[in-house]
Amino acid sequence: MNFAMRLSVLALLLFALPVRAQEETFTVMSLEGTARVQRSQKRAWEKIDRGGKLYDNDLVETFFQTKLILQFGSGNLVILGSNSKVLLNIAAKTESDRTITEISLTLFGGGVFSKALKSCRINLYTANAVGVMDSGSVTTIAEGKTGETGFQVLGGLIYVRNIAQQKGIELRPGLTTMIQPNKEPTAPLYITHRHVAVLKHYFGDEYITTELDASGIKPTDERSGGPAGFSAFSGRSRGYVDEGMHKPLFSLNKIYGSILDERAGHYCFYRPMPPVYPPVDGKGIVALNTDFGISDREISPRLMPVFSWHQGRFSGGLRFSFLENASDQFTAGFTSLAGILDKIDHLAWNTDDDAWALYAGAIHHITFGYGLIVNDFTNTSHNNIFHPLGLKGHVRIFDELSVQAFTSDLSAPLISGIYITFEPSLYHLGAGYVADFNQYVQPIGSSRSMRYASLPRSDSLFPDVEHFASRVHCYVVDGAVDIVNRYDFQLKLVVEFAQKLYNGKDGYVTRMPSFHCDVKKTSFGGGFIVESGRLLSNQFDISSMDNRYRIKSYPYNEFIDTVLTPNNVLSRERHTMGFSLFLKINPFRGTDIDLSYKQDLIGKRTVKVVSLDTIVSRTVPFDFSFRLRAAINDSLLKFIRYAEVSLQQSHGPLYPAGMGLPFYSWTFNGGYDVLTVPFFFNIAFETGGRFFYIDTGRRRDDRISRGDLIGEFRAGINWGF
């Protein structure tokens, strides 16, 4: 009996050995880069090597700059591109007295190329879409967060549908479609050169070219139209398409920017409307600008011609300023370093939408993370005749990791910062450092470069003899997670923290928890904000350079001046608590409204009051900041390419402290800008105006008077050739 049982067990083992060998498998034909596999019934990940086997229910993941080629059945192929994750299923199936190999590819994110050559069926699944193909070749792209899916047919026929619906469409070679959540497939588009360029990059030139040639597919020119039943691309659509070319791999923006543009224009999220640059099209641009600064005492005119050239990824420009300074001296800026550097209008390589970019010149709109400390920073000052040659840049190291940095002035890099962003899937993690190395040093240079007021230098460091308060070294960390991420509704939870690096006791700012919500062309949110010591929210913003250095003099003592900086007027014992809110909306086509508000509800010992021989802490209640910006473009008014009005104030009650009047602050300013479309000979016109407060030096008592209000009005003409 024991012998019979042993014989039976041995027979079962002998018959079972070939089962795995006869099982349908994928063979790794080629691997460029790094990929790994999680076997079924195992939790550990294994490295994939060329020549290896992949089995049913294996989960495969590729990494940056990776191409994995798999073969199955009779010469059928599957290619996984970079940063892709796919569940593999494979089995033999009998149909009509013949055996075929049926595979199912569940694409969680990324891209896959599939080619059914003989005796097989390929089923493609994503979070939103299903595709079935018996013969032919197709590429499938899926967005990891939203599940939005695109198919591009290179050969044969494929049937595609939304996974939640029964109705679908059949695509022939040369067509492409996109499937969004709870939507039927979009009207087919003809494959364009953009599609082909992206597909060749990720799946290999030889495979894509072979399929195109075999099917006789001629990609269309995106600029001339070509989509089946889809409106032609406007100039704005093309610009929006370009924005996606350097977003994360296989982002739907890369291939379906036109569809997303049209969707966003009708029922999707809020889209900001940035200022237009360059003002006219053309490789070369000549601009002639003039402006007038008006105060109660004088008028300060300026003439400024600008010449710029745009060639491929590079652009550069020269500018020349001619005006009188605050000392009534005519200057063209050829006798000082600041004036010579001012002749460089800008030097740029690539743009903000590229994988990396550098820009030197007057820098604007610098924001780190969600803007807790660095929020829309600019390095220019209204009182400076010459703009500083700042530098900003960014690099996208790989899909989820990017770095941005700036310095306010290459000749004197007093204000500088760096910020690193890591955004895996639904999460955001950010960390940065920003510094103002010495607030007692004026970045605006000598008195000859001051336009409205000759601000003296003080040899005294009073009231900060130890020199501590004149420095700002601050680190920032923030994090966010998408609670809801749908194509028509998004909700994000955000936490932010910043602290000055001075024994950990010189101030911190937190904004947590806060939320950001996006729905139907509207973005809104808010959170609780706490500040302490000598650190401010929005420390570096649009008003920073104007409020960075002021002098308070005493009429009865010619030896002691008080140097006022944004930080040394604050008390080390300062504590405030309040809230911040924002609302951004596109109420109509071609319009943009951006409103933000921050209000302190509770505050104690907020500022230092400095008199001739004493320094005491004082509470200034209900500090608040706000910003309102409204813009339109030629989608609303066809002859206005871009127009904007703005009004803002940053911590108004603190600068100067205790004035007691709303909107009566060194940081209160506003203005308007208008740029027309080119009317004739590719010539466009522009105009604008600004108002702001500058301590013109009548009393220097840190109090705003009528003579401190300045108005600027400008006009210009731009010709592109």
Side-chain angles (χ1 to χ4, degrees), residues 140-439:
T140 308
I141 311 297
E143 185 75 78
K145 288 187 177 182
T146 64
E148 292 179 331
T149 304
F151 294 97
Q152 305 84 41
V153 183
L154 306 179
L157 298 174
I158 182 172
Y159 177 80
V160 299
R161 64 177 176 84
N162 191 294
I163 197 169
Q165 300 173 355
Q166 294 299 319
K167 184 179 179 181
I169 60 175
E170 191 173 62
L171 297 178
R172 57 181 173 83
L175 293 181
T176 176
T177 188
M178 185 170 73
I179 299 177
Q180 305 161 6
N182 303 316
K183 300 289 184 181
E184 295 181 359
T186 58
L189 291 162
Y190 293 121
I191 288 178
T192 68
H193 291 289
R194 175 180 297 279
H195 298 130
V196 173
V198 176
L199 297 179
K200 284 182 178 180
H201 180 74
Y202 294 116
F203 299 120
D205 194 331
E206 65 278 15
Y207 291 99
I208 302 301
T209 301
T210 299
E211 297 303 314
L212 294 175
D213 292 343
S215 300
I217 298 173
K218 301 296 183 183
T220 63
D221 186 351
E222 194 169 31
R223 293 178 179 265
S224 62
F230 201 78
S231 59
F233 294 91
S234 66
R236 185 173 296 108
S237 295
R238 292 195 299 272
Y240 185 60
V241 173
D242 289 342
E243 291 180 11
M245 285 300 293
H246 300 278
K247 294 294 196 306
L249 302 183
F250 297 113
S251 166
L252 270 293
N253 280 326
K254 289 184 176 179
I255 298 182
Y256 296 101
S258 58
I259 298 178
L260 296 175
D261 184 37
E262 188 148 313
R263 185 186 76 175
H266 288 85
Y267 60 87
C268 200
F269 299 134
Y270 163 82
R271 289 175 58 188
M273 189 183 300
V276 174
Y277 185 82
V280 291
D281 295 330
K283 287 188 176 180
I285 297 175
V286 177
L288 184 61
N289 302 303
T290 183
D291 66 69
F292 297 86
I294 302 174
S295 67
D296 70 333
R297 291 192 297 177
E298 59 184 351
I299 297 178
S300 172
R302 171 167 56 183
L303 181 66
M304 187 172 64
V306 181
F307 308 91
S308 60
W309 186 261
H310 306 263
Q311 183 72 45
R313 296 182 178 274
F314 170 81
S315 72
L318 296 175
R319 75 177 211 163
F320 302 89
S321 298
F322 305 93
L323 78 166
E324 288 185 352
N325 61 21
S327 302
D328 297 326
Q329 298 172 319
F330 179 83
T331 178
F334 290 98
T335 59
S336 65
L337 177 61
I340 293 173
L341 293 178
D342 178 68
K343 304 299 180 286
I344 303 175
D345 181 72
H346 75 279
L347 294 171
W349 191 269
N350 288 334
T351 68
D352 290 342
D353 299 319
D354 291 306
W356 68 272
L358 281 175
Y359 180 91
I363 58 177
H364 306 281
H365 310 299
I366 302 293
T367 298
F368 282 179
Y370 295 93
L372 181 65
I373 299 297
V374 182
N375 186 25
D376 205 27
F377 172 75
T378 178
N379 69 337
T380 59
S381 167
H382 289 108
N383 197 33
N384 194 354
I385 292 174
F386 309 122
H387 73 196
L389 188 65
L391 180 68
K392 68 175 181 177
H394 76 265
V395 58
R396 193 168 295 114
I397 300 174
F398 54 86
D399 299 340
E400 296 88 2
L401 183 64
S402 61
V403 180
Q404 67 178 115
F406 78 93
T407 186
S408 61
D409 192 340
L410 286 174
S411 63
L414 295 173
I415 302 177
S416 303
I418 185 171
Y419 182 76
I420 302 173
T421 305
F422 181 57
E423 293 183 317
S425 186
L426 302 177
Y427 303 94
H428 163 95
L429 298 173
Y433 165 80
V434 62
D436 188 342
F437 292 96
N438 192 342
Q439 291 181 338

Side-chain angles (χ1 to χ4, degrees), residues 462-464 608-611 613-617:
F462 182 80
D464 298 297
K608 293 186 302 184
V609 177
V610 181
S611 61
D613 55 0
T614 60
I615 301 175
V616 296
S617 295

Side-chain angles (χ1 to χ4, degrees), residues 296-595:
D296 70 333
R297 291 192 297 177
E298 59 184 351
I299 297 178
S300 172
R302 171 167 56 183
L303 181 66
M304 187 172 64
V306 181
F307 308 91
S308 60
W309 186 261
H310 306 263
Q311 183 72 45
R313 296 182 178 274
F314 170 81
S315 72
L318 296 175
R319 75 177 211 163
F320 302 89
S321 298
F322 305 93
L323 78 166
E324 288 185 352
N325 61 21
S327 302
D328 297 326
Q329 298 172 319
F330 179 83
T331 178
F334 290 98
T335 59
S336 65
L337 177 61
I340 293 173
L341 293 178
D342 178 68
K343 304 299 180 286
I344 303 175
D345 181 72
H346 75 279
L347 294 171
W349 191 269
N350 288 334
T351 68
D352 290 342
D353 299 319
D354 291 306
W356 68 272
L358 281 175
Y359 180 91
I363 58 177
H364 306 281
H365 310 299
I366 302 293
T367 298
F368 282 179
Y370 295 93
L372 181 65
I373 299 297
V374 182
N375 186 25
D376 205 27
F377 172 75
T378 178
N379 69 337
T380 59
S381 167
H382 289 108
N383 197 33
N384 194 354
I385 292 174
F386 309 122
H387 73 196
L389 188 65
L391 180 68
K392 68 175 181 177
H394 76 265
V395 58
R396 193 168 295 114
I397 300 174
F398 54 86
D399 299 340
E400 296 88 2
L401 183 64
S402 61
V403 180
Q404 67 178 115
F406 78 93
T407 186
S408 61
D409 192 340
L410 286 174
S411 63
L414 295 173
I415 302 177
S416 303
I418 185 171
Y419 182 76
I420 302 173
T421 305
F422 181 57
E423 293 183 317
S425 186
L426 302 177
Y427 303 94
H428 163 95
L429 298 173
Y433 165 80
V434 62
D436 188 342
F437 292 96
N438 192 342
Q439 291 181 338
Y440 288 141
V441 176
Q442 301 179 57
I444 60 177
S446 68
S447 60
R448 288 179 58 84
S449 66
M450 298 181 189
R451 183 174 185 180
Y452 300 111
S454 296
L455 191 63
R457 293 181 180 274
S458 174
D459 295 328
S460 169
L461 298 180
F462 182 80
D464 298 297
V465 179
E466 295 180 348
H467 208 64
F468 291 135
S470 66
R471 306 171 185 175
V472 177
H473 295 270
C474 173
Y475 71 89
V476 183
V477 292
D478 52 48
V481 59
D482 290 352
I483 305 300
V484 180
N485 192 320
R486 293 177 35 170
Y487 76 98
D488 59 350
F489 179 77
Q490 293 182 355
L491 179 62
K492 189 189 301 289
L493 182 66
V494 182
V495 295
E496 302 165 86
F497 179 82
Q499 185 178 32
K500 279 185 71 175
L501 297 173
Y502 172 63
N503 296 332
K505 301 177 182 179
D506 208 32
Y508 67 86
V509 180
T510 69
R511 182 161 55 198
M512 63 175 78
S514 63
F515 72 95
H516 293 222
C517 183
D518 290 275
V519 60
K520 194 64 175 180
K521 300 181 183 178
T522 303
S523 178
F524 63 93
F528 293 101
I529 188 165
V530 175
E531 301 182 18
S532 79
R534 296 189 290 191
L535 184 63
L536 293 163
S537 59
N538 297 346
Q539 172 85 47
F540 301 95
D541 65 1
I542 195 171
S543 304
S544 297
M545 301 306 291
D546 285 323
N547 190 44
R548 185 175 177 273
Y549 181 99
R550 287 178 287 110
I551 295 290
K552 182 178 180 180
S553 301
Y554 296 92
Y556 304 109
N557 191 324
E558 58 180 320
F559 299 106
I560 297 181
D561 288 332
T562 299
V563 180
L564 301 179
T565 73
N567 297 91
N568 75 358
V569 301
L570 303 177
S571 168
R572 286 180 183 273
E573 292 78 32
R574 167 177 169 263
H575 287 88
T576 68
M577 184 180 70
F579 64 89
S580 63
L581 301 171
F582 73 88
L583 172 66
K584 304 176 182 181
I585 186 171
N586 302 127
F588 310 104
R589 185 175 179 86
T591 60
D592 177 15
I593 297 176
D594 184 347
L595 173 64

Side-chain angles (χ1 to χ4, degrees), residues 103-107 112 114 122-126 129-133 138-140 151 158:
I103 71 166
S104 295
L105 305 175
T106 304
L107 181 61
V112 61
S114 312
I122 298 178
N123 303 306
L124 297 159
Y125 299 96
T126 71
V130 177
V132 180
M133 177 178 65
V138 64
T139 56
T140 308
F151 294 97
I158 182 172

